[in-house]
Amino acid sequence: RKEVEQDPGPFNVPEGATVAFNCTYSNSASQSFFWYRQDCRKEPKLLMSVYSSGNEDGRFTAQLNRASQYISLLIRDSKLSDSATYLCAVNRGQNFVFGPGTRLSVLP
Amino acid sequence: DAGITQSPRHKVTETGTPVTLRCHQTENHRYMYWYRQDPGHGLRLIHYSYGVKDTDKGEVSDGYSVSRSKTEDFLLTLESATSSQTSVYFCAISAAATSGNTIYFGEGSWLTVV
């Protein structure tokens, strides 16, 4: 079993839809949690950190459930420009582990 | 912009030849990483460095070596390239952020071994 797992998708949604991604992690010692966005043939870029209390950045909401060891990302009012692969990541100190990513396609 | 530059960005090489990828950072970060990314596997850590001449192996280190003789440069060497090493390679640095340490990536180096 991989340390960080995600549904690979693809998720094909119409513009304006709300879409949610989940990510599970197996190491309970994981300290920090992140969502990255990766466009085709580009590097992953930090989308947002995930805080224990949950956090929101515009149309994006991230939540953490330490007891169940999963993190989630909710995207509201999807835009065509949200089409990308979304990677979750966890870290313990300086060790960062990434999930395989979930591909999102937002359709007109 | 995390100030990371990778070179070369694209390379085609023949099986059995040595290849060195360079990662250069301008912001004096202590920790640097080399990942490879492949379909179905995601990002996997090859090697990382926690200071000049201090390196350690990651998940998929076989066939790779690294060196860090200066804070700003982290080199990844494929001693004898194989077709299984065809991949995109990302260098990364770890930097402090509000929520703790966060990792930032360079633009990637696309390597094809024929």
Side-chain angles (χ1 to χ4, degrees):
Chain A
R1 183 187 173 195
K2 293 186 178 180
E3 184 171 346
V4 180
E5 297 196 87
Q6 296 179 250
D7 182 341
F11 284 50
N12 298 316
V13 302
E15 249 184 310
T18 295
V19 60
F21 305 134
N22 289 326
C23 168
T24 59
Y25 61 96
S26 60
N27 193 323
S28 60
S30 298
Q31 298 168 313
S32 302
F33 308 88
F34 310 90
W35 283 101
Y36 282 76
R37 172 195 168 121
Q38 185 173 24
D39 294 297
C40 187
R41 297 190 65 79
K42 298 288 188 180
E43 75 275 25
K45 292 186 178 179
L46 180 65
L47 178 65
M48 58 198 303
S49 301
V50 187
Y51 304 122
S52 295
S53 56
N55 48 299
E56 188 174 305
D57 182 2
R59 298 180 293 109
F60 298 84
T61 300
Q63 293 193 313
L64 166 66
N65 185 320
R66 284 189 184 268
S68 300
Q69 296 185 192
Y70 79 81
I71 62 176
S72 63
L73 177 68
L74 184 76
I75 305 176
R76 292 182 300 279
D77 188 22
S78 300
K79 311 291 185 191
L80 296 176
S81 58
D82 294 333
S83 296
T85 297
Y86 291 83
L87 310 173
C88 66
V90 305
N91 92 323
R92 300 183 301 280
Q94 296 290 346
N95 180 23
F96 294 84
V97 181
F98 288 81
T102 298
R103 185 174 170 191
L104 171 66
S105 292
V106 181
L107 308 173
Chain B
D1 183 1
I4 305 169
T5 305
Q6 292 185 228
S7 60
R9 295 290 317 283
H10 300 273
K11 186 173 182 65
V12 179
T13 192
E14 292 186 349
T15 299
T17 60
V19 176
T20 295
L21 305 180
R22 179 181 183 239
C23 179
H24 179 78
Q25 57 130 336
T26 59
E27 298 183 5
N28 207 36
H29 296 291
R30 180 182 173 194
Y31 281 82
M32 298 184 75
Y33 307 81
W34 277 107
Y35 286 85
R36 62 178 288 176
Q37 187 176 35
D38 305 285
H41 292 281
L43 284 159
R44 294 180 291 175
L45 182 65
I46 305 171
H47 281 279
Y48 68 98
S49 169
Y50 46 98
V52 173
K53 296 192 172 136
D54 291 323
T55 65
D56 207 347
K57 296 179 179 180
E59 177 188 356
V60 290
S61 60
D62 288 348
Y64 302 94
S65 63
V66 290
S67 66
R68 192 161 177 207
S69 58
K70 298 184 290 184
T71 299
E72 58 266 34
D73 290 325
F74 191 31
L75 304 181
L76 177 71
T77 297
L78 291 66
E79 301 291 348
S80 178
T82 67
S83 58
S84 65
Q85 293 176 312
T86 292
S87 186
V88 56
Y89 293 85
F90 288 104
C91 175
I93 58 92
S94 172
T98 306
S99 62
N101 298 316
T102 306
I103 193 167
Y104 299 92
F105 291 90
E107 294 181 315
S109 294
W110 272 257
L111 177 67
T112 302
V113 184
V114 298

